[in-house]
């Protein structure tokens, strides 16, 4: 018997149909997201023999129909590209499932996911280096992000000040001017505090707030002089 | 595990960073201990004036040298510090003020400083925005201003790149002595083994001196300042008042900085806390009188700072004869920022060579031993006697590298 995977999408379908019960084939594995959904919506789990899985689930195309199994679990080759010919190891052998088989399953899940989303496989099955590169590009984008809008101070400038030894909002403010503008940090103070907590590895609550300074809002000199 | 340091500088303000930079440039590995962030106290809240005029005549040689260093500071430190050398106007509103100012200008000219008295017409030619009250001013063309936050940061960054170590958010708690000589500085987190301690702690300078049993007549003086929203560039001069009631400038970014005194700062403490609600309006009133064009500009922030005010308004500099290895560079009485580059250089010279290129004996610690009105009788820094125990060691160490 093939092990059956229950994915979040199937659970969602059942939820949409208004049922309060989910049929799960014996020996099936439930994905973490699906398990969470079941838990959240308090679905009753009904374990059924593998043959009686509802047609709705079958039509979702998630569950491999049971296939005639050979006696021994077939160890799936890494380089086997076609999914069609693949046979999953039987449920009894699930504990002994080889790493290669798990990888293969994951690969097929990703391929299926891409199919649903209409993505080309190459877009996500990139090399690790490429992923890292993408990540660093993303990071660079973040560093260009303007945090203090009044003084146009970017995230990168704030991070540099922190790496140079500033440990407080006041310190960062003095060096970078973030929070010195017209709004006096009412917009960016929390963001700077977040960057500080990220960079220093402390919680945002541990970041000392900037010293409160009057006036509460910009005040005309003439008005202030006669106050 | 104690950390070994060639020198420990207590205080990471502009003075501490400038001294650290100069010592690091000489090849030492100084450690700076700062209880908050770099430039967290007076160095982060002062007006940024870089001036010679209206200084105590004893400070004049230092100030004149400092102006020279400021001219090339951005190149030396590799960072723009927004230094502007466009002069300093000290505005007078009455004949009496004018007369006092004229006398003061004559005195200052004896030190070789180039400055002049201007009548109202000449003042308007330099700054057309002054109000009708102004009838004259003194003008020193070589004065100017800089951004104190950036100057401190520039010294800090350069010192760090040259090997100085900075320990921020660490407070010096104890200075250990052995046979009367400095051996270590203990903070709340570390112990630094050293035979040289520089007291550059500003308002806390007296507390640091107390750690080795020394004391001098200094007290923190409350001062208030404000900044406005950015405004198109109007004038580049540093502005002062004949009686020192207010001072200010337009920063390179555009906002106006105004600071001032109302004369009651020493007495405003009520139950340990200053009550200063009238100082801001008082400064604003003066600004309005002298620059009516600014009446619609918005004040966006006010802050206060503490000035390390000495009884005679002069800093304490140089070695303490009583405690070998203890060096003063503190209590600049509210006009230290303009001197920072030269103080950094002189203290470094003192530590490396036991002598300074500009005499600093007027600022010695011993000057109060016979009362403030008498001439100092101590040998001061002119002849450094006690530090012979330290200097040869430093020189040996320098030769070995």
């Amino acid at each position: 018997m093939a092990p059956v995977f229950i994915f979040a999408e199937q659970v969602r379908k059942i939820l949409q149909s208004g049922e309060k019960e989910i049929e799960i084939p014996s020996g099936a594995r439930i994905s973490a997201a699906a398990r969470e959904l079941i838990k959240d919506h308090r679905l009753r789990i009904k374990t059924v023999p593998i043959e009686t899985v509802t047609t709705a689930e079958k039509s979702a195309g998630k569950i491999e129909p049971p296939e005639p199994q050979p006696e021994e679990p077939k160890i799936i080759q890494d380089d086997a590209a076609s999914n069609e010919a693949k046979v999953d190891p039987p449920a009894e052998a699930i504990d002994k499932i080889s790493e290669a088989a798990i990888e293969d399953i994951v690969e097929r899940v990703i391929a299926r996911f891409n199919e649903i989303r209409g993505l080309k496989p190459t877009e996500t099955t990139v090399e690790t280096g490429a992923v890292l590169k993408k990540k660093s590009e993303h990071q660079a984008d973040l560093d260009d992000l303007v945090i203090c809008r009044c003084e146009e101070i970017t995230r990168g400038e704030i991070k540099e000040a922190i790496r140079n030894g500033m440990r407080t909002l006041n310190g960062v403010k003095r060096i970078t001017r973030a929070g010195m503008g017209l709004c006096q940090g009412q917009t960016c103070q929390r963001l700077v505090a977040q960057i500080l907590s990220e960079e220093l590895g402390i919680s945002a609550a541990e970041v000392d707030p900037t010293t409160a300074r009057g006036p509460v809002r910009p005040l005309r000199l003439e008005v202030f002089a006669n106050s | 595990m104690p950390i070994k340091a060639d020198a420990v500088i207590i205080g990471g303000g502009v003075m501490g960073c400038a001294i650290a930079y100069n010592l690091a440039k000489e090849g030492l590995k100084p450690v700076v201990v700062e209880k908050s962030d770099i430039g967290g106290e007076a160095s982060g809240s002062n007006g940024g004036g870089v001036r010679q005029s209206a200084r105590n005549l004893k400070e004049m040689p230092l100030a004149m040298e400092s102006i020279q260093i400021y001219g090339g500071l951005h190149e030396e430190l590799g960072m723009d510090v927004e230094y502007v050398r466009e002069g300093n106007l000290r505005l007078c509103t009455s004949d009496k003020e004018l007369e006092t100012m004229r006398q003061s200008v004559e005195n200052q000219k004896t030190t070789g400083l180039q400055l002049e008295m201007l009548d109202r017409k000449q003042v308007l030619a330099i700054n057309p925005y002054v109000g009708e009250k102004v009838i004259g001013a003194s003008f020193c063309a070589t004065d100017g201003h800089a951004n104190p936050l950036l100057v401190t940061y520039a010294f800090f960054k350069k010192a760090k790149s040259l090997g100085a170590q900075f320990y921020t958010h660490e407070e010096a708690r104890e200075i250990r002595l052995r046979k009367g000589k400095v051996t270590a500085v203990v903070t709340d987190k570390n112990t630094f083994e050293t035979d040289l301690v520089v007291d550059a702690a500003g308002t806390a300078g007296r507390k640091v001196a107390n750690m080795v049993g020394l004391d001098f007549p200094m007290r923190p003086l409350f001062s208030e300042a404000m900044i406005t929203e950015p405004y198109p560039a109007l004038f580049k001069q540093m502005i002062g008042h004949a009686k020192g009631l207010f001072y200010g400038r337009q920063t390179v970014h555009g906002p106006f900085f105004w600071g001032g005194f109302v004369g009651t700062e020493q007495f405003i403490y009520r139950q340990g806390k200053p009550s200063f609600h009238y100082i801001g309006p008082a400064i604003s009133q003066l600004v309005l009188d002298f620059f009516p064009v600014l009446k619609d500009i918005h004040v966006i922030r006010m802050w206060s700072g503490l000035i390390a005010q000495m009884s005679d308004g002069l800093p304490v500099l140089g070695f303490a004869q009583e405690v070998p290895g203890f060096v003063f560079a503190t209590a600049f009485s509210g006009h230290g920022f303009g001197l920072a580059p030269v103080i950094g250089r002189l203290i470094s010279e003192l530590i490396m060579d036991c002598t300074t290129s500009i005499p600093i004996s007027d600022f010695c610690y011993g000057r109060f031993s016979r009362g403030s009105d008498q001439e100092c009788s101590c040998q001061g820094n002119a002849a450094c006697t006690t530090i012979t125990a330290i200097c040869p060691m430093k020189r040996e160490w320098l030769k070995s590298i």
Side-chain angles (χ1 to χ4, degrees):
Chain A
M1 272 181 291
V4 180
F5 277 87
I6 304 293
F7 295 106
E9 200 168 304
Q10 288 163 262
V11 181
R12 257 181 233 120
K13 273 201 173 154
I14 288 167
L15 284 170
Q16 273 165 21
S17 68
E19 282 182 50
K20 292 267 178 254
E21 197 175 77
I22 182 165
E23 292 174 342
I24 289 174
S26 56
R29 297 197 141 189
I30 307 167
S31 82
R35 187 167 293 142
E36 234 176 328
L37 269 177
I38 292 169
K39 211 171 150 192
D40 284 353
H41 293 87
R42 298 186 182 175
L43 287 178
R44 257 178 296 123
I45 297 174
K46 191 179 169 195
T47 316
V48 292
I50 200 144
E51 288 80 10
T52 57
V53 175
T54 51
T55 41
E57 279 169 33
K58 268 182 195 165
S59 64
K62 281 283 147 11
I63 300 157
E64 305 271 319
E67 282 173 40
Q69 297 296 310
E71 291 291 313
E72 289 293 310
K74 213 188 245 175
I75 301 302
I76 294 139
Q77 298 299 307
D78 263 340
D79 53 353
S82 156
N83 292 347
E84 254 54 56
K86 285 217 186 101
V87 178
D88 289 326
E92 302 89 75
I94 211 101
D95 291 337
K96 290 179 246 166
I97 193 162
S98 73
E99 260 180 53
I102 293 172
E103 266 175 36
D104 181 68
I105 290 164
V106 169
E107 232 168 65
R108 281 158 66 189
V109 169
I110 290 171
R112 175 71 189 137
F113 177 74
N114 289 340
E115 211 181 298
I116 293 165
R117 299 281 295 268
L119 294 172
K120 282 178 193 164
T122 44
E123 277 179 40
T124 45
T125 55
V126 275
E127 295 295 309
T128 327
V131 172
L132 284 177
K133 197 185 157 209
K134 261 197 170 168
K135 219 175 181 181
S136 71
E137 267 172 18
H138 180 61
Q139 209 67 34
D141 284 351
L142 275 184
D143 281 355
D144 286 338
L145 204 67
V146 171
I147 299 291
C148 170
R149 295 192 290 192
C150 304
E151 296 288 329
E152 295 181 352
I153 308 301
T154 63
R155 187 184 153 91
E157 287 171 87
I158 292 163
K159 271 162 75 178
E160 197 200 325
I162 297 167
R163 281 167 195 177
N164 275 325
M166 299 305 138
R167 293 279 175 277
T168 58
L169 278 169
N170 278 332
V172 170
K173 177 175 160 183
R174 280 192 203 98
I175 302 307
T176 62
R177 298 188 64 78
M180 277 194 189
L182 214 60
C183 86
Q184 289 295 296
Q186 288 179 41
T187 311
C188 64
Q189 190 180 327
R190 280 162 190 275
L191 297 171
V192 178
Q194 190 193 338
I195 300 169
L196 260 168
S197 73
E198 274 170 25
E199 287 288 312
L200 303 177
I202 56 176
S203 79
E206 286 172 83
V207 178
D208 287 335
T210 50
T211 320
R213 305 282 192 203
V216 173
R217 61 178 189 158
L219 195 60
R220 265 178 61 216
L221 194 71
E222 200 178 17
V223 175
F224 194 31
N226 294 312
S227 65
Chain B
M1 193 55 199
I3 300 162
K4 282 201 159 68
D6 293 331
V8 173
I9 299 158
I10 300 176
V14 68
M15 289 298 167
C17 293
I19 295 166
Y21 159 66
N22 279 282
L23 286 178
K25 208 168 71 174
E26 295 288 339
L28 297 193
K29 296 272 175 272
V31 159
V32 179
V33 178
E34 164 60 46
K35 75 168 177 225
S36 65
D37 266 329
I38 294 300
E41 294 283 331
S43 302
S45 49
N46 68 78
V50 181
R51 63 177 169 87
Q52 308 146 95
S53 53
R55 271 191 192 274
N56 190 311
L57 298 187
K58 287 176 178 173
E59 275 184 352
M60 209 58 94
L62 302 185
M64 285 157 85
E65 178 64 20
S66 200
I67 300 288
Q68 297 303 317
I69 304 174
Y70 259 109
L73 203 62
H74 63 288
E75 275 176 25
E76 194 176 341
L77 302 179
M79 193 174 143
D80 180 24
V81 294
E82 295 176 3
Y83 176 52
V84 178
R85 192 188 284 174
E86 293 280 345
N88 181 356
L89 278 170
R90 296 186 77 80
L91 308 169
C92 307
T93 52
S94 68
D95 289 337
K96 202 181 161 194
E97 279 175 14
L98 217 53
E99 192 45 52
T100 319
M101 185 64 85
R102 202 165 278 135
Q103 191 59 45
S104 160
V105 165
E106 288 308 314
N107 286 339
Q108 289 174 58
K109 274 183 178 168
T110 60
T111 63
L113 182 68
Q114 297 286 321
L115 79 169
E116 52 190 322
M117 280 304 292
L118 307 179
D119 58 25
R120 180 172 166 81
K121 219 174 158 184
Q122 288 167 308
V123 173
L124 283 173
I126 291 171
N127 189 327
Y129 303 99
V130 294
E132 285 173 9
K133 262 185 151 184
V134 177
I135 58 167
S138 78
F139 183 67
C140 176
T142 48
D143 284 355
H145 52 82
N147 184 335
L149 314 174
L150 291 184
V151 172
T152 309
Y153 191 50
F155 271 124
F156 157 70
K157 264 174 88 171
K158 193 71 182 176
K160 210 171 157 188
S161 73
L162 290 172
Q165 283 177 297
F166 287 80
Y167 290 80
T168 57
H169 296 273
E170 261 191 63
E171 195 178 341
R173 293 275 167 86
E174 185 192 344
I175 297 171
R176 288 207 182 123
L177 305 176
R178 191 180 297 139
K179 292 182 183 170
K181 272 161 61 178
V182 169
T183 56
V185 175
V186 183
T187 70
D188 46 359
K189 290 173 188 160
N190 286 306
T191 301
F192 300 96
E193 272 182 10
T194 183
D195 49 13
L196 253 179
V197 170
V198 181
D199 175 3
T203 44
R206 187 171 180 179
K207 206 170 139 193
V208 173
N210 290 166
M211 290 177 194
V212 292
L214 305 178
D215 202 5
F216 46 80
M218 181 209 98
R219 74 164 161 195
L221 179 63
F222 181 86
S223 177
E224 187 92 354
M226 65 169 86
I227 199 118
T228 70
E229 63 189 329
Y231 206 69
L234 293 187
F235 53 84
K236 289 181 171 175
Q237 305 89 35
M238 186 81 195
I239 305 295
H241 181 264
K243 286 183 189 161
L245 289 183
F246 84 106
Y247 58 100
R249 64 192 167 108
Q250 185 171 21
T251 68
V252 174
H253 294 275
F256 285 90
F257 167 94
W258 298 111
F261 301 91
V262 293
T264 56
E265 279 83 358
Q266 293 184 35
F267 310 99
I268 58 174
Y269 287 88
R270 196 174 55 195
Q271 291 164 353
K273 280 184 178 169
S275 155
F276 48 88
H277 55 92
Y278 55 89
I279 298 181
I283 299 170
S284 305
Q285 192 62 59
L286 282 164
V287 173
L288 216 54
D289 284 353
F290 282 82
F291 294 95
V293 67
L294 297 178
K295 71 177 167 54
D296 287 329
I297 201 167
H298 287 85
V299 176
I300 60 169
R301 179 168 74 252
M302 295 195 61
W303 68 90
S304 53
L306 291 175
I307 288 169
Q309 184 67 37
M310 285 293 285
S311 61
D312 60 354
L314 291 174
V316 187
L317 293 177
F319 285 107
Q321 283 188 309
E322 292 82 350
V323 182
F326 192 82
V327 185
F328 289 104
T330 187
F332 285 86
S333 311
H335 38 261
F337 171 66
L339 297 178
V342 75
I343 297 297
R345 185 179 288 180
L346 293 180
I347 295 295
S348 157
E349 283 173 5
L350 192 69
I351 287 169
M352 302 305 292
D353 310 325
C354 303
T355 177
T356 54
S357 51
I358 301 170
I360 54 170
S361 50
D362 282 337
F363 312 109
C364 66
Y365 165 72
R367 70 180 188 264
F368 300 103
S369 57
R370 289 194 180 180
S372 58
D373 289 339
Q374 295 181 25
E375 282 300 303
C376 177
S377 64
C378 77
Q379 289 178 329
N381 300 295
C384 78
T385 48
T386 52
I387 37 89
T388 43
I390 303 152
C391 295
M393 208 194 306
K394 289 283 166 193
R395 290 205 184 103
E396 280 301 318
W397 181 83
L398 271 176
K399 272 178 207 159
S400 70
I401 56 166

